[in-house]
Amino acid sequence: MVLLRPLVLLLALVVSDLHCLPWFINVSESQGPGTILQSFSFNCSSHTPTLELLHVQPPTTFFNPPSLTRWQGIYVGKMTLSSSARLDALTVNHYELQLRFTCGNHVMEGPLSVDVQRDPGRIQCAGRFASPAGEIIQVPETVTPGTRLYTLLLPGQGAQMSITSAQDPPYFPGPFSINGQGWLQAPSQGLKGQAQKVFQLQILVTFGQGRSCCGTLTVKVLPAPSSQVSFLQQAQNITIPENLVPGSKVVQVQARGFNVRYEILSPVPCRLFSIGRVDGVVRTTSPLELAQAPDAAVTRLRVKAFERLRPWASAELDFRVDVQSVNRWPPRCTPALLVTQIPETTPVGTVLNTFTCTDPDSPGSTLDYQLLFHSPAGAASLCLQDRVLEVNATLDCDTPGACFHHAASILVLDSGQPLMTTEVPVLVMVTPVNEFSPACVPRTFRVREDAGPHALLGSVVGKDMDYPHDSIEYSTPGGSATFAVDRLSGEVRLLGPLDYELQKLHRLTVLLTDHSQDQDPTCHRSGSCTITIEVEDVNDHAPECEPPFQELTIHTHLGRSMEVTRVSCQVPQEPQRLAFSYSIVGGNSRSQFSLQGAVLVHNDLMLGPSWPEQPHTYELLIRVADAGPSTPHLSTTATVIVHLVPWRASTVATSTHRATVTSMMTPLLVTDTEAFWQPEPWFVVVLTVTSALLLLALGWLLSRLLRGLAQVLQAPSKSTQALLLNSIQGTEGSVERFMEAPRMETPQAPSSVMSLQHFDGRAQDPRTGRDYLFNTHTGARRWL
């Protein structure tokens, strides 16, 4: 039966507990009393449930007992912080809370892990150093000068520490010091001769923005340890049972001394026992089976204790360990393991198996049978009648944890001393049936027309009442070139570009297919829903002005305003967009020009000697931006060059006129900037090589064409006649044999050999497959 125990442990690992409650939450250390840590809901319709906090590890009073309230037929539990809660991530950053939920005979237990996170905005001194009592450390008087005695937990980066309390002699042998890493160091003079003294230090910790905290650190100096080592207990006899597992504690020996270590002197090597080098705990190292190892009944041990720094200071202790035999044989059962599979439609009362068990130590004795549920805990789907395992309730695979695997064990107890038990693992697997079709709710997504590829539009959320819930795959019938649906998550993403002007509304049919919900993997159910995608208009075309460049010459009149030109702009891709804003962004150095909508106006209101007498040129930059509700607002810039000629009176005819003419004939420098394209050097090389290859190919092709044309136009010569006649006969002979050919063909063609030159073509008859010559002008044929 000992061999069955590893099998039982293996099944306990394979069959997981479906009703365990592994919650993991993070909470900031700045959270105060009353903060809700976790909310969870339970279904319990036939009983009044309870929710209990069993224990907290490490022990603390920071957590209130959980509350449980009923809301719309569901019980909602909450975990909150108590009024004494003072979370500190540097002190304790993890708590383990064990919760128990009870609904009638149904009991669930599970841990709630609470991780305390640091709050950068809440900096304070941590540890017992900051408590009212302060931190107390003990150091020997033989400590080396400058040795690190204590490490202060820093509240954050850049903290500065200093000792504010007085360290005046003669009580202090020298000042203690603390560095930037929080290390408290012994005085440079050491602590020799300061035994039994107590030094109290006040330490101030300051960090940025004027924040600080302080704490107390008390240093107790201990006398130098004694050099004599001795055991606290005398020799003794120890009795242990033979069924102790390896690693079990036998006894702990303790010796008096400084930094004592322990070892076994005899027997060496010691096969059955070992001793902790630091704690002196003697433990078993192998099974103490007296049937296999009779010499394990009595073992005499000799243990040595010695100081680590001075091994010669030691003491020895002898004691005996007696191993006592016990009732070792648990009951044996048939079958030793039950694994069965039943459909969820199995009727109540169906017998799954009958167990037969016997006690090797006492054949014929009465055994006690108990049914223990492991997964789900406290399930009522199975029952044990004497030794018969039966189905006790209707099985439902559509409820989480109620189907698929029912892990239990049959506990068999004998009546011996000590009490021996046997567990028969039971694993009942219930096969599901796919009963419901998946469904989803039609949804509408909105997307900007300038959204990039793979943009997430939303998710299709499918629901399936079969367990496991929502085991759904998503697809689009026939596929879509613009949208794609993720097969597993149902996320709808954009594949291609959108254009609000071409199509404002898209409808996408999403097909939902369930899987893994039936014993037959090929059994699927499907459903569908329609997703509407609305395209939001985005201003993606800048206005264009016609012409984009204007050059005008105007004659101004003193004190008058005049219209220069009108800027005409539009969006060719969106002709309905007509609202534009106009502004002069450059060239209006003297503020003589203004815009009245799209009209450029010159304002010549300058009077007195400052009025210009010579022509002047203005290069105006006019920014045209769309002003509609769509965003973003795009713009373009139109250029208007205005040659401004001031007004002149017609009566000027003196020498002044000549001066004026001369001044007006002053050359005007006009800069014309011409844009040109300068390619990269590699592009020029590639283009040159490609052009050269193309020219060579064209020359070769032209030469072939000219050569073929010359052959066609050339008159047939004697050699040509000979070659033609040779092809008629289908042989390759000498010139004499070639000259005999006309005589052989005389019955069919009475004409001479030279008449062959009239046949200027050769072809093959499609019906008979024979070759023949033909004349393109007369149509005459001659068979070969």
Side-chain angles (χ1 to χ4, degrees):
M1 301 308 292
V2 176
L3 297 176
L4 292 177
R5 187 172 302 275
L7 182 59
V8 173
L9 294 177
L10 178 60
L11 284 175
L13 292 175
V14 173
V15 183
S16 61
D17 189 353
L18 295 180
H19 274 280
C20 64
L21 306 174
W23 292 303
F24 300 89
I25 61 173
N26 297 326
V27 60
S28 174
E29 64 180 358
S30 62
Q31 298 296 329
T35 300
I36 298 177
L37 301 179
Q38 179 73 12
S39 297
F40 29 79
S41 60
F42 303 92
N43 290 325
C44 183
S45 58
S46 57
H47 300 84
T48 301
T50 60
L51 184 61
E52 306 170 82
L53 176 60
L54 301 181
H55 59 79
V56 181
Q57 187 66 29
T60 183
T61 60
F62 289 174
F63 304 94
N64 287 323
S67 62
L68 190 63
T69 57
R70 184 180 178 89
W71 181 76
Q72 295 184 357
I74 298 177
Y75 287 89
V76 179
K78 294 182 179 179
M79 284 298 305
T80 59
L81 293 177
S82 66
S83 58
S84 62
R86 300 294 185 271
L87 300 179
D88 188 351
L90 293 179
T91 303
V92 178
N93 61 3
H94 180 80
Y95 294 93
E96 194 83 11
L97 285 68
Q98 189 70 19
L99 303 177
R100 176 191 293 167
F101 175 76
T102 304
C103 177
N105 296 329
H106 186 73
V107 179
M108 290 189 300
E109 287 189 14
L112 175 61
S113 299
V114 180
D115 291 330
V116 182
Q117 305 292 327
R118 287 295 308 277
D119 186 359
R122 180 177 176 264
I123 302 178
Q124 61 179 12
C125 294
R128 288 184 296 179
F129 159 79
S131 64
E135 179 71 64
I136 300 177
I137 61 174
Q138 297 178 348
V139 297
E141 65 176 349
T142 57
V143 68
T144 305
T147 301
R148 181 175 60 180
L149 306 179
Y150 179 81
T151 300
L152 183 65
L153 295 179
L154 302 180
Q157 299 293 334
Q160 298 181 357
M161 288 149 290
S162 60
I163 301 176
T164 59
S165 57
Q167 303 185 62
D168 300 329
Y171 187 80
F172 279 78
F176 291 84
S177 61
I178 186 169
N179 62 11
Q181 296 178 322
W183 294 358
L184 180 69
Q185 298 172 330
S188 58
Q189 295 82 357
L191 296 175
K192 193 67 176 178
Q194 306 297 323
Q196 307 301 333
K197 279 190 176 183
V198 178
F199 302 97
Q200 192 173 56
L201 305 175
Q202 298 290 335
I203 299 178
L204 176 65
V205 182
T206 59
F207 33 92
Q209 301 178 356
R211 293 177 293 177
S212 64
C213 62
C214 61
T216 303
L217 185 61
T218 302
V219 181
K220 291 185 177 180
V221 183
L222 302 179
S226 173
S227 61
Q228 186 176 1
V229 178
S230 61
F231 283 94
L232 301 181
Q233 65 267 49
Q234 300 299 322
Q236 55 183 336
N237 295 335
I238 302 170
T239 302
I240 58 175
E242 67 173 345
N243 59 351
L244 285 181
V245 298
S248 300
K249 178 180 178 180
V250 177
V251 70
Q252 182 177 11
V253 296
Q254 293 180 336
R256 183 184 297 107
F258 180 75
N259 206 357
V260 178
R261 298 292 184 267
Y262 305 89
E263 65 180 8
I264 295 178
L265 295 180
S266 176
V268 177
C270 188
R271 180 177 57 87
L272 301 177
F273 303 95
S274 65
I275 188 171
R277 186 172 177 83
V278 177
D279 57 7
V281 176
V282 179
R283 300 181 183 273
T284 60
T285 57
S286 62
L288 304 176
E289 299 288 343
L290 296 180
Q292 287 79 19
D295 57 340
V298 178
T299 303
R300 299 184 181 275
L301 295 177
R302 175 172 293 180
V303 177
K304 174 184 176 182
F306 60 96
E307 291 186 358
R308 184 177 66 88
L309 300 179
R310 298 187 303 164
W312 59 87
S314 62
E316 298 179 357
L317 175 66
D318 295 326
F319 59 93
R320 189 179 71 179
V321 179
D322 297 330
V323 179
Q324 184 181 18
S325 62
V326 294
N327 182 18
R328 302 175 52 251
W329 301 106
R332 296 178 179 177
C333 297
T334 302
L337 171 68
L338 176 60
V339 178
T340 184
Q341 178 176 302
I342 59 175
E344 63 174 329
T345 56
T346 302
V348 176
T350 301
V351 176
L352 300 181
N353 204 291
T354 301
F355 297 90
T356 302
C357 301
T358 58
D359 187 2
D361 295 327
S362 179
S365 62
T366 302
L367 302 176
D368 184 24
Y369 298 83
Q370 298 179 8
L371 177 61
L372 304 178
F373 288 95
H374 302 306
S375 173
S381 56
L382 304 176
C383 66
L384 184 65
Q385 301 290 344
D386 193 9
R387 298 179 294 110
V388 179
L389 184 64
E390 299 177 353
V391 177
N392 189 46
T394 302
L395 303 175
D396 184 12
C397 291
D398 298 330
T399 302
C403 194
F404 304 133
H405 297 85
H406 292 269
S409 61
I410 308 297
L411 182 63
V412 184
L413 303 91
D414 63 7
S415 55
Q417 291 296 331
L419 185 67
M420 300 295 295
T421 62
T422 296
E423 282 192 28
V424 180
V426 176
L427 178 61
V428 179
M429 295 176 289
V430 183
T431 58
V433 176
N434 191 0
E435 302 174 280
F436 304 97
S437 298
C440 62
V441 178
R443 300 189 59 185
T444 300
F445 301 137
R446 298 180 63 88
V447 59
R448 292 167 55 94
E449 68 172 336
D450 60 345
H454 308 291
L456 177 62
L457 308 185
S459 298
V460 180
V461 180
K463 297 294 183 181
D464 196 339
M465 299 300 295
D466 292 309
Y467 189 84
H469 297 311
D470 306 333
S471 296
I472 301 173
E473 291 184 358
Y474 303 84
S475 62
T476 54
S480 174
T482 307
F483 305 95
V485 179
D486 187 86
R487 184 175 64 89
L488 299 179
S489 65
E491 294 180 349
V492 181
R493 294 186 178 273
L494 181 64
L495 292 182
L498 299 174
D499 195 338
Y500 177 83
E501 288 71 26
L502 295 180
Q503 188 173 357
K504 304 178 182 178
L505 194 66
H506 298 264
R507 298 190 185 276
L508 183 67
T509 300
V510 180
L511 180 65
L512 291 77
T513 305
D514 59 13
H515 62 87
S516 305
Q517 294 176 334
D518 196 280
Q519 184 181 9
D520 183 8
T522 62
C523 181
H524 303 288
R525 287 179 175 269
S526 61
S528 64
C529 62
T530 301
I531 302 303
T532 302
I533 301 171
E534 297 180 359
V535 181
E536 296 181 352
D537 187 18
V538 176
N539 186 12
D540 51 356
H541 299 289
E544 297 179 7
C545 297
E546 183 61 33
F549 174 86
Q550 299 184 51
E551 185 173 5
L552 306 170
T553 301
I554 64 172
H555 296 269
T556 62
H557 298 273
L558 181 61
R560 294 176 56 185
S561 298
M562 63 181 302
E563 177 179 339
V564 178
T565 185
R566 176 181 295 270
V567 181
S568 177
C569 301
Q570 63 175 353
V571 180
Q573 298 82 356
E574 300 178 46
Q576 74 279 4
R577 197 182 299 275
L578 300 176
F580 301 100
S581 63
Y582 304 84
S583 60
I584 300 176
V585 296
N588 194 10
S589 59
R590 298 184 181 181
S591 302
Q592 294 188 14
F593 297 88
S594 62
L595 284 170
Q596 297 178 3
V599 178
L600 178 64
V601 178
H602 174 256
N603 301 316
D604 197 353
L605 301 179
M606 301 178 61
L607 300 175
S610 59
W611 184 64
E613 296 181 357
Q614 298 181 358
H616 193 78
T617 300
Y618 293 87
E619 183 175 346
L620 303 177
L621 300 179
I622 300 177
R623 180 179 178 270
V624 183
D626 50 14
S630 300
T631 58
H633 294 290
L634 305 180
S635 64
T636 187
T637 302
T639 303
V640 179
I641 297 179
V642 181
H643 300 287
L644 190 62
V645 179
W647 175 83
R648 290 289 181 269
S650 60
T651 58
V652 178
T654 61
S655 60
T656 306
H657 172 72
R658 288 191 299 272
T660 303
V661 173
T662 304
S663 63
M664 292 185 63
M665 294 301 292
T666 301
L668 177 62
L669 180 61
V670 178
T671 302
D672 185 13
T673 302
E674 180 179 357
F676 68 96
W677 175 57
Q678 182 178 1
E680 297 290 338
W682 64 267
F683 182 78
V684 176
V685 173
V686 172
L687 185 60
T688 303
V689 173
T690 305
S691 302
L693 294 176
L694 182 59
L695 291 175
L696 290 175
L698 291 176
W700 177 81
L701 181 60
L702 185 60
S703 64
R704 291 293 302 269
L705 291 176
L706 294 176
R707 186 182 306 169
L709 183 60
Q711 292 178 357
V712 172
L713 298 178
Q714 182 180 4
S717 60
K718 286 186 178 182
S719 60
T720 304
Q721 298 172 10
L723 291 176
L724 182 59
L725 183 60
N726 191 28
S727 64
I728 294 174
Q729 299 298 329
T731 61
E732 295 179 357
S734 63
V735 176
E736 292 77 10
R737 186 177 179 183
F738 167 74
M739 297 302 294
E740 293 175 359
R743 294 191 294 271
M744 294 175 63
E745 295 295 333
T746 303
Q748 298 179 5
S751 61
S752 63
V753 175
M754 294 304 293
S755 64
L756 293 176
Q757 63 184 351
H758 299 291
F759 296 97
D760 55 357
R762 180 174 179 172
Q764 186 181 55
D765 184 64
R767 184 173 59 85
T768 61
R770 293 184 58 186
D771 294 339
Y772 62 89
L773 300 176
F774 64 91
N775 190 299
T776 57
H777 298 286
T778 64
R781 296 186 182 183
R782 180 169 185 175
W783 295 97
L784 300 179

